[in-house]
Amino acid sequence: MCGTDNAAHVTVDRRGRLPGRGAWLHRDQTCLENAVRRKAFGTALRDRGVVVRPDDLADQLGAVTNEDSAGSQDR
């Protein structure tokens, strides 16, 4: 989660080094859609005001998936 405009935004932490709470999400479009529909990010991150941009997050997850090697763990 990161933010510069008084609102927290969900982002993919590719290296696992950003400060703050994190939430696991499968690299799967259906999982992302379900999390957004259930408003799971606010609960997991303990911030009900978190802003989720599903399209941006899907693009980031797609970039992570494409960068991974075939044998890496799915997290």
Side-chain angles (χ1 to χ4, degrees), residues 57-74:
L57 197 52
D59 290 343
Q60 290 180 45
L61 287 171
V64 171
T65 301
N66 293 335
E67 291 174 5
D68 288 342
S69 63
S72 68
Q73 240 182 356
D74 186 20

Side-chain angles (χ1 to χ4, degrees), residues 19-53:
R21 286 190 64 81
W24 289 103
L25 180 70
H26 294 102
R27 294 178 183 129
D28 179 77
Q29 183 67 30
T30 303
C31 186
L32 173 60
E33 290 169 0
N34 287 337
V36 170
R37 179 181 47 81
R38 293 181 22 237
K39 299 181 179 166
F41 290 105
T43 302
L45 300 172
R46 296 183 185 167
D47 183 349
R48 300 287 180 175
V50 69
V51 176
V52 179
R53 296 181 179 139

